[in-house]
Tab-separated table of all heavy atoms in Angstrom:
chain	number	residue	atom	x	y	z
A	1	SER	N	49.492	-85.531	80.435
A	1	SER	CA	49.339	-84.299	81.249
A	1	SER	C	47.988	-83.685	81.022
A	1	SER	O	47.615	-83.441	79.847
A	1	SER	CB	50.344	-83.166	80.829
A	1	SER	OG	50.115	-81.884	81.491
A	2	ALA	N	47.227	-83.561	82.084
A	2	ALA	CA	45.799	-82.985	81.996
A	2	ALA	C	45.865	-81.599	82.613
A	2	ALA	O	44.729	-80.985	82.700
A	2	ALA	CB	44.901	-83.865	82.676
A	3	SER	N	46.898	-81.044	83.110
A	3	SER	CA	46.855	-79.747	83.747
A	3	SER	C	48.355	-79.099	83.573
A	3	SER	O	49.391	-79.796	83.447
A	3	SER	CB	46.638	-79.881	85.207
A	3	SER	OG	47.415	-80.732	85.923
A	4	PHE	N	48.339	-77.796	83.672
A	4	PHE	CA	49.618	-77.035	83.735
A	4	PHE	C	49.520	-75.801	84.535
A	4	PHE	O	48.395	-75.331	84.734
A	4	PHE	CB	50.230	-76.725	82.320
A	4	PHE	CG	49.501	-75.806	81.536
A	4	PHE	CD1	49.913	-74.415	81.600
A	4	PHE	CD2	48.455	-76.072	80.800
A	4	PHE	CE1	49.189	-73.469	80.871
A	4	PHE	CE2	47.779	-75.110	79.992
A	4	PHE	CZ	48.134	-73.782	80.056
A	5	ALA	N	50.499	-75.335	85.170
A	5	ALA	CA	50.550	-74.132	85.909
A	5	ALA	C	51.711	-73.290	85.452
A	5	ALA	O	52.787	-73.745	85.098
A	5	ALA	CB	50.700	-74.418	87.373
A	6	VAL	N	51.553	-71.964	85.490
A	6	VAL	CA	52.553	-70.978	85.316
A	6	VAL	C	52.969	-70.244	86.561
A	6	VAL	O	52.094	-69.911	87.235
A	6	VAL	CB	52.276	-70.117	84.157
A	6	VAL	CG1	52.148	-70.738	82.789
A	6	VAL	CG2	51.057	-69.284	84.471
A	7	VAL	N	54.194	-70.134	86.803
A	7	VAL	CA	54.552	-69.454	88.076
A	7	VAL	C	55.854	-68.642	87.757
A	7	VAL	O	56.647	-68.833	86.858
A	7	VAL	CB	54.927	-70.579	89.210
A	7	VAL	CG1	56.011	-71.461	88.616
A	7	VAL	CG2	55.272	-69.949	90.393
A	8	THR	N	56.047	-67.543	88.541
A	8	THR	CA	57.257	-66.721	88.414
A	8	THR	C	58.353	-67.329	89.311
A	8	THR	O	58.078	-67.688	90.434
A	8	THR	CB	56.915	-65.186	88.685
A	8	THR	OG1	58.240	-64.593	88.655
A	8	THR	CG2	56.370	-65.216	90.115
A	9	GLY	N	59.508	-67.333	88.795
A	9	GLY	CA	60.637	-67.775	89.502
A	9	GLY	C	61.364	-66.664	90.371
A	9	GLY	O	62.119	-66.842	91.295
A	10	SER	N	60.833	-65.335	90.196
A	10	SER	CA	61.381	-64.288	90.958
A	10	SER	C	60.245	-63.357	91.382
A	10	SER	O	59.216	-63.484	90.885
A	10	SER	CB	62.371	-63.502	90.118
A	10	SER	OG	61.749	-62.949	88.984
A	11	ARG	N	60.458	-62.588	92.293
A	11	ARG	CA	59.425	-61.692	92.809
A	11	ARG	C	60.015	-60.189	92.799
A	11	ARG	O	61.177	-60.037	93.203
A	11	ARG	CB	58.910	-61.996	94.165
A	11	ARG	CG	58.074	-63.307	94.079
A	11	ARG	CD	57.405	-63.553	95.405
A	11	ARG	NE	56.641	-64.847	95.323
A	11	ARG	CZ	55.250	-64.897	94.881
A	11	ARG	NH1	54.794	-63.675	94.530
A	11	ARG	NH2	54.564	-65.908	94.726
A	12	CYS	N	59.233	-59.205	92.488
A	12	CYS	CA	59.803	-57.867	92.551
A	12	CYS	C	59.750	-57.382	94.019
A	12	CYS	O	60.420	-56.286	94.248
A	12	CYS	CB	58.874	-57.032	91.704
A	12	CYS	SG	57.262	-56.875	92.140
A	13	ARG	N	59.029	-57.966	94.931
A	13	ARG	CA	59.037	-57.350	96.396
A	13	ARG	C	59.317	-58.581	97.261
A	13	ARG	O	58.816	-59.715	97.233
A	13	ARG	CB	57.801	-56.922	96.760
A	13	ARG	CG	57.303	-55.635	95.909
A	13	ARG	CD	55.831	-55.167	96.418
A	13	ARG	NE	55.595	-53.908	95.707
A	13	ARG	CZ	54.799	-53.918	94.442
A	13	ARG	NH1	54.487	-55.093	94.056
A	13	ARG	NH2	54.482	-52.784	93.932
A	14	ASP	N	60.393	-58.388	98.088
A	14	ASP	CA	60.883	-59.482	98.983
A	14	ASP	C	59.774	-59.838	99.935
A	14	ASP	O	59.761	-60.924	100.604
A	14	ASP	CB	62.128	-58.961	99.779
A	14	ASP	CG	63.242	-58.762	98.860
A	14	ASP	OD1	63.303	-59.402	97.778
A	14	ASP	OD2	64.199	-57.975	99.187
A	15	ASN	N	58.813	-58.913	100.175
A	15	ASN	CA	57.753	-59.215	101.276
A	15	ASN	C	56.538	-60.048	100.589
A	15	ASN	O	55.604	-60.185	101.376
A	15	ASN	CB	57.301	-58.012	102.045
A	15	ASN	CG	56.633	-56.945	101.068
A	15	ASN	OD1	56.687	-57.232	99.847
A	15	ASN	ND2	56.088	-55.854	101.529
A	16	GLY	N	56.686	-60.469	99.464
A	16	GLY	CA	55.574	-61.196	98.862
A	16	GLY	C	55.455	-62.519	99.334
A	16	GLY	O	56.467	-63.118	100.042
A	17	PRO	N	54.354	-63.297	99.242
A	17	PRO	CA	54.220	-64.722	99.714
A	17	PRO	C	55.159	-65.501	98.959
A	17	PRO	O	55.279	-65.379	97.727
A	17	PRO	CB	52.795	-65.018	99.489
A	17	PRO	CG	52.346	-64.046	98.404
A	17	PRO	CD	53.162	-62.778	98.587
A	18	PRO	N	55.618	-66.580	99.644
A	18	PRO	CA	56.644	-67.410	98.843
A	18	PRO	C	55.934	-68.299	97.771
A	18	PRO	O	54.736	-68.574	98.021
A	18	PRO	CB	57.228	-68.259	99.939
A	18	PRO	CG	56.195	-68.234	101.090
A	18	PRO	CD	55.635	-66.830	100.996
A	19	VAL	N	56.688	-68.780	96.797
A	19	VAL	CA	56.099	-69.654	95.814
A	19	VAL	C	55.905	-71.020	96.640
A	19	VAL	O	56.850	-71.496	97.261
A	19	VAL	CB	56.914	-69.824	94.690
A	19	VAL	CG1	56.392	-70.959	93.633
A	19	VAL	CG2	57.113	-68.540	93.877
A	20	ARG	N	54.762	-71.664	96.462
A	20	ARG	CA	54.532	-72.901	97.184
A	20	ARG	C	54.946	-73.972	96.201
A	20	ARG	O	54.251	-74.732	95.769
A	20	ARG	CB	52.964	-72.995	97.441
A	20	ARG	CG	52.420	-72.003	98.381
A	20	ARG	CD	53.053	-72.133	99.825
A	20	ARG	NE	52.796	-73.544	100.303
A	20	ARG	CZ	51.718	-73.851	101.100
A	20	ARG	NH1	50.796	-73.007	101.245
A	20	ARG	NH2	51.525	-75.081	101.455
A	21	TRP	N	56.285	-74.212	96.293
A	21	TRP	CA	56.706	-75.372	95.620
A	21	TRP	C	56.393	-76.716	96.129
A	21	TRP	O	56.333	-77.663	95.275
A	21	TRP	CB	58.421	-75.262	95.487
A	21	TRP	CG	58.888	-74.100	94.881
A	21	TRP	CD1	59.539	-72.906	95.730
A	21	TRP	CD2	58.844	-73.635	93.615
A	21	TRP	NE1	59.782	-71.989	94.733
A	21	TRP	CE2	59.518	-72.517	93.469
A	21	TRP	CE3	58.359	-74.288	92.477
A	21	TRP	CZ2	59.657	-71.700	92.243
A	21	TRP	CZ3	58.531	-73.628	91.267
A	21	TRP	CH2	59.113	-72.358	91.182
A	22	ASP	N	56.029	-76.636	97.376
A	22	ASP	CA	55.554	-78.018	97.942
A	22	ASP	C	54.267	-78.371	97.406
A	22	ASP	O	54.052	-79.597	97.141
A	22	ASP	CB	55.397	-77.843	99.499
A	22	ASP	CG	54.462	-76.673	99.819
A	22	ASP	OD1	54.367	-75.636	99.097
A	22	ASP	OD2	53.800	-76.816	100.977
A	23	LEU	N	53.371	-77.452	96.941
A	23	LEU	CA	52.131	-77.863	96.313
A	23	LEU	C	52.453	-78.047	94.844
A	23	LEU	O	51.850	-78.980	94.232
A	23	LEU	CB	51.122	-76.694	96.546
A	23	LEU	CG	50.691	-76.363	97.972
A	23	LEU	CD1	49.674	-75.202	98.033
A	23	LEU	CD2	50.143	-77.631	98.614
A	24	LEU	N	53.192	-77.166	94.136
A	24	LEU	CA	53.447	-77.212	92.754
A	24	LEU	C	54.086	-78.577	92.327
A	24	LEU	O	54.019	-78.945	91.236
A	24	LEU	CB	54.168	-76.064	92.271
A	24	LEU	CG	53.505	-74.646	92.295
A	24	LEU	CD1	54.437	-73.532	92.178
A	24	LEU	CD2	52.298	-74.703	91.294
A	25	ALA	N	54.902	-79.080	93.247
A	25	ALA	CA	55.655	-80.351	92.964
A	25	ALA	C	54.799	-81.484	92.544
A	25	ALA	O	55.175	-82.385	91.812
A	25	ALA	CB	56.528	-80.781	94.102
A	26	HIS	N	53.476	-81.486	93.021
A	26	HIS	CA	52.629	-82.608	92.863
A	26	HIS	C	51.252	-82.314	92.387
A	26	HIS	O	50.454	-83.200	91.917
A	26	HIS	CB	52.494	-83.466	94.113
A	26	HIS	CG	53.857	-83.996	94.521
A	26	HIS	ND1	54.536	-84.903	93.821
A	26	HIS	CD2	54.680	-83.541	95.588
A	26	HIS	CE1	55.638	-85.157	94.530
A	26	HIS	NE2	55.723	-84.421	95.553
A	27	SER	N	50.887	-81.007	92.319
A	27	SER	CA	49.412	-80.618	92.119
A	27	SER	C	49.153	-80.451	90.688
A	27	SER	O	47.949	-80.434	90.292
A	27	SER	CB	49.111	-79.341	92.910
A	27	SER	OG	49.931	-78.240	92.459
A	28	VAL	N	50.260	-80.361	89.784
A	28	VAL	CA	49.922	-80.141	88.305
A	28	VAL	C	50.948	-81.083	87.612
A	28	VAL	O	51.925	-81.447	88.202
A	28	VAL	CB	50.119	-78.743	87.841
A	28	VAL	CG1	49.106	-77.771	88.489
A	28	VAL	CG2	51.546	-78.205	88.124
A	29	ASP	N	50.515	-81.379	86.330
A	29	ASP	CA	51.355	-82.192	85.543
A	29	ASP	C	52.517	-81.542	84.894
A	29	ASP	O	53.559	-82.184	84.792
A	29	ASP	CB	50.374	-82.956	84.573
A	29	ASP	CG	49.292	-83.818	85.110
A	29	ASP	OD1	49.627	-84.519	86.108
A	29	ASP	OD2	48.216	-83.790	84.598
A	30	THR	N	52.267	-80.424	84.430
A	30	THR	CA	53.388	-79.568	83.708
A	30	THR	C	53.461	-78.329	84.421
A	30	THR	O	52.481	-77.638	84.592
A	30	THR	CB	53.021	-79.425	82.230
A	30	THR	OG1	52.751	-80.639	81.659
A	30	THR	CG2	54.242	-78.860	81.588
A	31	LEU	N	54.726	-77.794	84.710
A	31	LEU	CA	54.892	-76.790	85.363
A	31	LEU	C	55.824	-75.763	84.448
A	31	LEU	O	56.966	-76.228	83.895
A	31	LEU	CB	55.789	-77.004	86.680
A	31	LEU	CG	56.071	-75.818	87.605
A	31	LEU	CD1	54.795	-75.097	88.058
A	31	LEU	CD2	56.829	-76.266	88.842
A	32	VAL	N	55.285	-74.614	84.225
A	32	VAL	CA	56.139	-73.598	83.520
A	32	VAL	C	56.622	-72.481	84.450
A	32	VAL	O	55.765	-71.851	84.999
A	32	VAL	CB	55.298	-73.044	82.197
A	32	VAL	CG1	56.162	-72.101	81.320
A	32	VAL	CG2	54.726	-74.186	81.506
A	33	VAL	N	57.906	-72.186	84.410
A	33	VAL	CA	58.396	-71.132	85.173
A	33	VAL	C	58.930	-69.978	84.405
A	33	VAL	O	59.817	-70.129	83.608
A	33	VAL	CB	59.592	-71.655	86.084
A	33	VAL	CG1	60.089	-70.629	87.102
A	33	VAL	CG2	59.123	-72.891	86.960
A	34	TYR	N	58.366	-68.813	84.654
A	34	TYR	CA	58.912	-67.610	84.164
A	34	TYR	C	60.096	-66.898	84.969
A	34	TYR	O	59.972	-67.158	86.133
A	34	TYR	CB	57.704	-66.511	83.981
A	34	TYR	CG	56.725	-66.720	82.989
A	34	TYR	CD1	55.851	-67.800	82.951
A	34	TYR	CD2	56.408	-65.795	81.903
A	34	TYR	CE1	54.738	-67.978	82.116
A	34	TYR	CE2	55.372	-65.885	81.030
A	34	TYR	CZ	54.518	-67.055	81.091
A	34	TYR	OH	53.597	-67.213	80.203
A	35	MET	N	60.874	-66.242	84.319
A	35	MET	CA	61.935	-65.459	85.052
A	35	MET	C	62.480	-66.286	86.119
A	35	MET	O	62.879	-65.876	87.318
A	35	MET	CB	61.185	-64.273	85.711
A	35	MET	CG	60.687	-63.283	84.642
A	35	MET	SD	59.516	-61.966	85.340
A	35	MET	CE	58.159	-63.041	85.734
A	36	GLY	N	62.887	-67.529	85.753
A	36	GLY	CA	63.536	-68.486	86.698
A	36	GLY	C	64.960	-68.936	86.457
A	36	GLY	O	65.446	-69.541	87.333
A	37	ILE	N	65.570	-68.468	85.409
A	37	ILE	CA	66.943	-68.973	85.087
A	37	ILE	C	68.031	-68.519	86.163
A	37	ILE	O	68.866	-69.353	86.596
A	37	ILE	CB	67.335	-68.459	83.733
A	37	ILE	CG1	66.563	-69.106	82.734
A	37	ILE	CG2	68.807	-68.644	83.497
A	37	ILE	CD1	66.625	-70.510	82.651
A	38	GLY	N	67.783	-67.337	86.753
A	38	GLY	CA	68.657	-66.907	87.680
A	38	GLY	C	68.611	-67.653	89.048
A	38	GLY	O	69.470	-67.699	89.842
A	39	ARG	N	67.426	-68.468	89.216
A	39	ARG	CA	67.187	-69.103	90.472
A	39	ARG	C	66.938	-70.668	90.107
A	39	ARG	O	66.347	-71.304	90.936
A	39	ARG	CB	65.982	-68.497	91.111
A	39	ARG	CG	66.128	-67.164	91.618
A	39	ARG	CD	64.910	-66.727	92.603
A	39	ARG	NE	65.116	-67.412	93.834
A	39	ARG	CZ	64.299	-68.400	94.259
A	39	ARG	NH1	63.253	-68.663	93.453
A	39	ARG	NH2	64.447	-68.985	95.377
A	40	LEU	N	67.580	-70.903	89.061
A	40	LEU	CA	67.261	-72.473	88.548
A	40	LEU	C	67.661	-73.403	89.588
A	40	LEU	O	66.958	-74.444	89.948
A	40	LEU	CB	68.028	-72.617	87.294
A	40	LEU	CG	67.908	-74.005	86.670
A	40	LEU	CD1	66.363	-74.472	86.447
A	40	LEU	CD2	68.704	-74.220	85.343
A	41	GLU	N	68.780	-73.151	90.201
A	41	GLU	CA	69.236	-74.275	91.225
A	41	GLU	C	68.397	-74.347	92.410
A	41	GLU	O	68.144	-75.344	92.922
A	41	GLU	CB	70.705	-73.833	91.530
A	41	GLU	CG	71.455	-74.884	92.478
A	41	GLU	CD	71.578	-76.343	91.819
A	41	GLU	OE1	71.501	-76.392	90.536
A	41	GLU	OE2	71.586	-77.380	92.567
A	42	ALA	N	67.940	-73.042	92.940
A	42	ALA	CA	67.082	-73.043	94.022
A	42	ALA	C	65.709	-73.729	93.672
A	42	ALA	O	65.160	-74.381	94.569
A	42	ALA	CB	66.862	-71.660	94.455
A	43	ILE	N	65.247	-73.451	92.508
A	43	ILE	CA	63.963	-74.062	92.084
A	43	ILE	C	64.068	-75.607	92.005
A	43	ILE	O	63.160	-76.342	92.660
A	43	ILE	CB	63.390	-73.510	90.838
A	43	ILE	CG1	63.046	-72.022	90.900
A	43	ILE	CG2	62.336	-74.323	90.208
A	43	ILE	CD1	62.902	-71.350	89.627
A	44	ARG	N	65.254	-76.126	91.530
A	44	ARG	CA	65.384	-77.456	91.328
A	44	ARG	C	65.517	-78.136	92.643
A	44	ARG	O	64.851	-79.179	92.884
A	44	ARG	CB	66.754	-77.623	90.558
A	44	ARG	CG	67.119	-79.078	90.199
A	44	ARG	CD	68.476	-79.094	89.630
A	44	ARG	NE	69.511	-79.091	90.606
A	44	ARG	CZ	69.895	-80.062	91.255
A	44	ARG	NH1	69.456	-81.322	90.993
A	44	ARG	NH2	70.842	-79.990	92.225
A	45	GLU	N	66.203	-77.397	93.664
A	45	GLU	CA	66.407	-78.066	94.899
A	45	GLU	C	65.048	-78.081	95.671
A	45	GLU	O	64.770	-79.037	96.463
A	45	GLU	CB	67.388	-77.231	95.664
A	45	GLU	CG	68.756	-77.473	95.346
A	45	GLU	CD	69.832	-76.621	96.060
A	45	GLU	OE1	69.306	-75.808	96.857
A	45	GLU	OE2	71.033	-76.654	95.714
A	46	GLU	N	64.274	-77.117	95.450
A	46	GLU	CA	62.921	-77.089	96.218
A	46	GLU	C	61.956	-78.159	95.631
A	46	GLU	O	61.380	-78.876	96.519
A	46	GLU	CB	62.227	-75.732	95.906
A	46	GLU	CG	62.787	-74.549	96.759
A	46	GLU	CD	62.378	-74.624	98.222
A	46	GLU	OE1	61.219	-74.604	98.508
A	46	GLU	OE2	63.288	-74.719	98.983
């Protein structure tokens, strides 16, 4: 792994831009998700 990214699994405002899981799936080697346990299944599926 030569790169990592941190991302939030939840957002405090529904009108915020969506997390770009399409880019994160392949743009970094290691992905760290904060506040994501409640949305683990959705993150996994994305």
Side-chain angles (χ1 to χ4, degrees):
S1 172
S3 63
F4 70 92
V6 295
V7 61
T8 177
S10 63
R11 291 187 177 276
C12 61
R13 295 184 178 89
D14 292 336
N15 60 354
V19 176
R20 294 295 305 272
W21 299 110
D22 56 330
L23 299 179
L24 291 169
H26 301 289
S27 60
V28 294
D29 297 317
T30 308
L31 183 60
V32 184
V33 185
Y34 286 64
M35 300 168 282
I37 291 300
R39 298 192 66 249
L40 178 59
E41 187 60 25
I43 292 168
R44 189 187 75 87
E45 290 177 358
E46 285 289 298

